[in-house]
């Protein structure tokens, strides 16, 4: 089984992946780690701010890692924001049944009501330098992009509207 977790920044993708690792004992791959390895090694001229170009660059690599894990009958959690809205079109019927897709997103109301809490949890699983560019309006915009894009693609969204822990807890079952 492959668990593919995506969503906007600060939605808890890494936290969910860590909880799933602990629950299911599946290893996980952080697309951010892959990104930084490729950037720091000089294998790309892209920077961490090149989001759209990074999706285009990283997704073919991630896609083939997923296919290989399925072919080898391995379990793997893959998490990161660099998953295209049309990701399903890259897999045929041999692969799709083995992939559980999760898109985490926060409602505008949740962001309004819990912004300080969201920022306060940004280093819960891995240390993050304080992102001074992370604003309430930016989070709303990014989450709307993920919600609209994946809904247009026909995907379900795990929408965090009131109880963050409860929403993540339901995804563990």
């Amino acid at each position: 089984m492959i668990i593919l977790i995506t969503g906007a920044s600060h939605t808890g993708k890494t936290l969910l992946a860590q909880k799933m690792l602990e629950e299911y004992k599946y290893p996980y791959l952080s697309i951010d780690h892959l990104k930084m390895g490729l950037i720091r090694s000089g294998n790309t001229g892209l920077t961490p701010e090149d989001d759209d170009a990074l999706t285009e660059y990283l997704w073919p690599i991630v896609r083939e890692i997923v296919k290989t894990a399925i072919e080898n009958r391995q379990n793997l959690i893959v998490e990161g924001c660099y998953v295209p809205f049309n990701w399903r079109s890259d897999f045929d019927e041999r692969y799709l049944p083995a992939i559980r897709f999760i898109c985490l997103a926060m409602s505008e109301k949740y962001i309004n009501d819990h912004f300080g809490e969201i920022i306060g949890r940004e280093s819960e699983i891995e240390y993050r330098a304080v992102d001074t560019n992370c604003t309430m309006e930016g989070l709303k915009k990014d989450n709307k992009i993920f919600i609209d894009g994946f809904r247009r693609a026909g995907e379900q969204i795990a929408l965090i509207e009131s109880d963050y822990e409860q929403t993540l807890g339901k995804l563990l079952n």
Side-chain angles (χ1 to χ4, degrees), residues 27-31 33-34 62 65 76-80:
Y28 80 84
L29 168 69
S30 166
I31 302 173
H33 292 171
L34 177 62
V62 171
I65 290 171
L76 181 64
I77 300 162
V78 178
E79 66 89 10

Side-chain angles (χ1 to χ4, degrees), residues 4-53:
L4 183 60
I5 304 169
T6 194
S9 179
H10 290 79
T11 55
K13 299 177 296 295
T14 304
L15 175 62
L16 180 59
Q18 180 67 38
K19 287 179 180 276
M20 288 183 159
L21 176 146
E22 293 166 5
E23 177 76 18
Y24 305 134
K25 310 297 186 237
Y26 294 0
Y28 80 84
L29 168 69
S30 166
I31 302 173
D32 277 342
H33 292 171
L34 177 62
K35 168 189 77 177
M36 291 310 299
L38 291 164
I39 290 171
R40 287 180 170 177
S41 66
N43 282 293
T44 179
L46 297 172
T47 71
E49 287 76 42
D50 296 325
D51 285 338
D52 292 338

Side-chain angles (χ1 to χ4, degrees), residues 125-161:
I125 296 297
E126 61 185 356
Y127 173 75
R128 288 184 178 200
V130 175
D131 184 357
T132 56
N133 294 326
C134 185
T135 64
M136 186 182 297
E137 289 310 310
L139 281 180
K140 289 180 197 176
K141 179 182 170 215
D142 291 347
N143 276 271
K144 182 170 178 17
I145 289 168
F146 274 83
I147 292 167
D148 292 348
F150 281 111
R151 280 193 176 151
R152 270 193 310 274
E155 299 291 347
Q156 295 282 338
I157 309 295
L159 190 62
I160 301 160
E161 297 185 271

